[in-house]
Amino acid sequence: MTDILKDVTSYGKEQPWRERKIACAMYGEYVTKLNYKKAARVVECGEVLRFASSGSDLRLFQAWFCHSRLCPMCNWRRARKQSYQLSLVINEALKQNPSAVFLFLTLTEKNASATNLRTELQKMNASFYKLFQYKKTSKNLLGYVRSTEITFNEKHQTYHQHAHVLLFMKSTYFRDSQNYIKQAEWSQFWKRARKLNYEPIVNVKRVRPNVRRPDTSLAASAREVAKYQVKSTDYLTGNESRDLKVVSTLETALNHTRQLSFGGVLKDIRQQLKLDDLDNDDSPQNLIKLGINPATGQKVTEVDYVWNPVSNNYEKW
């Protein structure tokens, strides 16, 4: 009987390697048909997974990933790493500034067409920095982390670009009415920074940490910021002609862009923690050492799994 990969976390959740690779294969077919230079790299993404095995525990030891922005395999791994790193930054920020508060800000604007999506994204990003040059918005700001999300509107064939921002504010933000910014004011500030001729929808709320519960509003907001820039279900539907158009548009719009950006003390803390590049997850310094685990005394050996396109599964080599 073929030994199929079953990678289960310490809390009992099976890792979706198979599902991600199947989606990655479809994405690989699309970029091949679109004649992208990276097509071969995408097709080979995650074909071999080398795990360090200690008892029933599996930890990824070595693999080769394509790092394409739309790759479902790389997106899944990138989101997990972003969420973990962001939690480290948040915890350290609260240690250094225990009285500070977090806000979760969502900035939206009208949908863009396929032809102007990249231009609108560039304008939105530039306007974000302008938003925090105003006296009232910058007065209590300690730092931020921002991500951009894009969703596809099937009915109108347009793209909804919007920003999720986790703001780290001084405690005085809520203590003085002169400092506090109402939601309607945030909307006006965004309208002004973005130079819009309509009232944009902006949502802002306070998010709180709770040491007794890991799944808090702050943790949820961190996950929202760190999640995929574009959900693969928006461009991998199985309708090839439709998907090729969406993939082509998104590839052009997202080329040479950064998904997460840090500012202020959150940027400083990320540098202090010496967190590695989010796209460098198969670098040598991240590899797990084989041999004897000094913590458990158990032998750590290598177990390899190779993708079989016939069975659509990872099989033990």
Side-chain angles (χ1 to χ4, degrees):
M1 182 179 290
T2 305
D3 193 344
I4 301 299
L5 172 62
K6 192 175 180 64
D7 180 15
V8 182
T9 65
S10 58
Y11 47 91
K13 183 178 180 181
E14 186 172 355
Q15 301 285 50
W17 290 106
R18 178 176 182 269
E19 292 80 357
R20 302 305 178 196
K21 182 57 182 174
I22 289 174
C24 178
M26 181 182 290
Y27 172 60
E29 290 179 12
Y30 289 163
V31 292
T32 298
K33 291 181 177 181
L34 290 168
N35 295 316
Y36 283 103
K37 292 181 180 179
K38 63 182 177 182
R41 194 171 82 246
V42 173
V43 170
E44 296 171 0
C45 180
E47 287 205 329
V48 178
L49 303 177
R50 294 178 174 174
F51 290 91
S53 174
S54 178
S56 60
D57 181 51
L58 285 179
R59 293 188 65 191
L60 187 65
F61 170 71
Q62 192 175 40
W64 291 268
F65 299 106
C66 68
H67 302 301
S68 177
R69 182 59 59 83
L70 293 180
C71 172
M73 175 75 80
C74 294
N75 262 342
W76 165 59
R77 290 180 50 74
R78 188 182 295 115
R80 292 177 64 207
K81 188 169 186 178
Q82 286 177 165
S83 182
Y84 172 69
Q85 289 193 355
L86 186 51
S87 68
L88 295 179
V89 171
I90 288 172
N91 290 338
E92 183 60 29
L94 289 172
K95 283 182 183 178
Q96 295 183 15
N97 305 272
S99 62
V101 296
F102 277 99
L103 302 178
F104 186 62
L105 176 68
T106 301
L107 303 169
T108 73
E109 57 184 63
K110 287 184 178 180
N111 289 13
S113 66
T115 54
N116 68 2
L117 177 59
R118 181 173 177 82
T119 300
E120 294 305 312
L121 280 173
Q122 292 172 335
K123 290 179 180 178
M124 188 175 75
N125 291 338
S127 299
F128 172 79
Y129 295 108
K130 189 173 182 180
L131 174 65
F132 290 98
Q133 292 176 0
Y134 302 137
K135 183 178 179 180
K136 192 167 184 178
T137 56
S138 63
K139 185 178 179 181
N140 289 276
L141 181 66
L142 293 171
Y144 67 83
V145 57
R146 172 185 62 92
S147 69
T148 305
E149 183 181 6
I150 303 170
T151 57
F152 181 64
N153 186 304
E154 191 76 49
K155 181 179 179 179
H156 299 289
Q157 297 290 295
T158 57
Y159 297 81
H160 178 50
Q161 66 282 4
H162 53 284
H164 296 298
V165 193
L166 198 57
L167 300 173
F168 195 42
M169 311 291 283
K170 296 177 183 177
S171 58
T172 51
Y173 177 76
F174 284 108
R175 294 177 184 173
D176 188 341
S177 60
Q178 297 300 313
N179 294 328
Y180 180 72
I181 305 174
K182 296 179 180 179
Q183 186 159 295
E185 287 183 278
W186 279 111
S187 180
Q188 289 303 308
F189 279 127
W190 180 233
K191 177 182 179 180
R192 177 181 167 191
R194 188 65 179 83
K195 297 180 180 179
L196 302 174
N197 59 4
Y198 58 89
E199 302 296 323
I201 297 174
V202 171
N203 183 269
V204 62
K205 60 183 178 181
R206 182 176 182 175
V207 289
R208 302 173 185 271
N210 186 331
V211 295
R212 297 179 182 177
R213 292 177 54 206
D215 195 20
T216 63
S217 59
L218 178 54
S221 297
R223 288 196 301 271
E224 185 73 13
V225 171
K227 72 178 184 181
Y228 308 161
Q229 193 165 15
V230 187
K231 293 179 181 177
S232 59
T233 51
D234 269 359
Y235 55 90
L236 299 178
T237 67
N239 181 337
E240 186 175 293
S241 60
R242 176 261 191 211
D243 289 353
L244 287 172
K245 292 177 183 178
V246 177
V247 168
S248 178
T249 298
L250 293 172
E251 288 283 352
T252 300
L254 298 177
N255 189 36
H256 296 302
T257 63
R258 180 173 287 273
Q259 183 175 354
L260 279 190
S261 62
F262 289 78
V265 299
L266 297 188
K267 182 178 181 179
D268 295 339
I269 289 171
R270 188 174 187 278
Q271 293 172 342
Q272 291 167 16
L273 295 176
K274 297 181 180 178
L275 299 176
D276 60 355
D277 193 311
L278 291 164
D279 270 336
N280 201 20
D281 56 359
D282 48 5
S283 60
Q285 64 264 33
N286 287 325
L287 300 184
I288 301 165
K289 293 182 179 180
L290 302 178
I292 301 298
N293 186 332
T296 64
Q298 287 185 310
K299 186 177 181 180
V300 181
T301 58
E302 180 181 336
V303 181
D304 297 345
Y305 287 88
V306 178
W307 179 252
N308 184 336
V310 177
S311 64
N312 266 349
N313 222 326
Y314 281 101
E315 300 177 357
K316 191 174 181 180
W317 180 256

